[in-house]
């Protein structure tokens, strides 16, 4: 959606949605929200516990409710969970309520970035590389479907990636007149 007052980051786990998102939020004067963290706060439980007690379907229902409430407002930088695009209603909501950036990353880069991460329930089942490949096969077309802008985070660090993405957003993202952005600082 363009113009849009919300900026939404989608992409697979390890693509940098949270790290890059914090920097972009500061750069554009937006309130940064991590959707997975918001689900945890509302549930009073970690995602792994929600998966354990309610299954993936229970988690996805909580995720959809959180997205709907969060995206009812404006001035938000929303870092979604990797599976947020699985539900058609979520995809519609993302397209309608924000400018969506698809952060792309290779499976090999994901493996490197997530090597020490033991908090993700989907990576706890078997061969991590195969799990990531299977997730990419299903989800990559859905990320592309909702995206206004694809952006490869590649081998760049979060700061460098955020700076490069901010430059592209300056050129492509139209914000409503009431939205303002802060000057690009050294932390972007």
């Amino acid at each position: 959606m363009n113009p849009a007052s919300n900026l939404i980051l989608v992409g697979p786990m390890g693509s940098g949605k949270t790290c890059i998102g914090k920097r972009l939020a500061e750069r554009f004067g937006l309130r940064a929200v991590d959707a997975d963290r918001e689900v945890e706060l509302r549930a009073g439980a970690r995602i792994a516990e929600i998966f354990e007690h309610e299954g993936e379907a229970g988690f996805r229902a909580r995720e959809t409710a959180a997205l709907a409430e969060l995206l009812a407002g404006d001035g938000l930088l929303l870092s979604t969970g990797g599976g947020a695009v699985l539900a058609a209603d979520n995809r519609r909501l993302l397209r309608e309520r924000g400018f969506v950036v698809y952060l792309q990353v290779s499976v090999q880069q994901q493996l490197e970035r997530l090597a020490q991460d033991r908090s993700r329930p989907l990576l706890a089942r078997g061969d991590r590389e195969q799990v990531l490949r299977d997730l990419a096969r299903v989800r990559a077309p859905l990320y592309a479907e909702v995206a206004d802008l694809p952006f490869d985070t590649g081998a760049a660090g979060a700061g460098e990636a955020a700076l490069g993405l901010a430059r592209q957003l300056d050129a492509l993202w139209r914000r409503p007149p009431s939205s303002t952005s802060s000057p690009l600082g050294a932390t972007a």
Side-chain angles (χ1 to χ4, degrees), residues 5 14 21-22 33 40 46 59 64 73-74 88 111 113 117 140 177 184:
S5 65
K22 288 177 184 176
V33 176
E40 288 180 333
R46 309 263 319 144
F59 171 75
T64 295
D74 294 312
L111 287 168
R113 293 177 184 181
D117 190 327
L184 185 60

Side-chain angles (χ1 to χ4, degrees), residues 2 7 24 27-28 99 101-104 148-153 160-174 184:
N2 213 3
L7 183 59
L24 291 175
R27 158 66 176 92
F28 290 106
F99 187 87
V101 177
Y102 167 18
L103 296 184
Q104 300 169 318
D148 293 298
L149 174 66
F151 183 81
D152 188 348
T153 60
E160 183 182 338
L163 184 57
L165 181 52
R167 288 181 182 132
Q168 287 190 32
L169 289 168
D170 281 336
L172 299 171
W173 177 32
R174 294 189 315 269
L184 185 60

Side-chain angles (χ1 to χ4, degrees), residues 11 16 31 47-48 63 66 87 121 164-165 188:
R31 181 173 63 96
I47 291 174
E63 178 180 60
L165 181 52

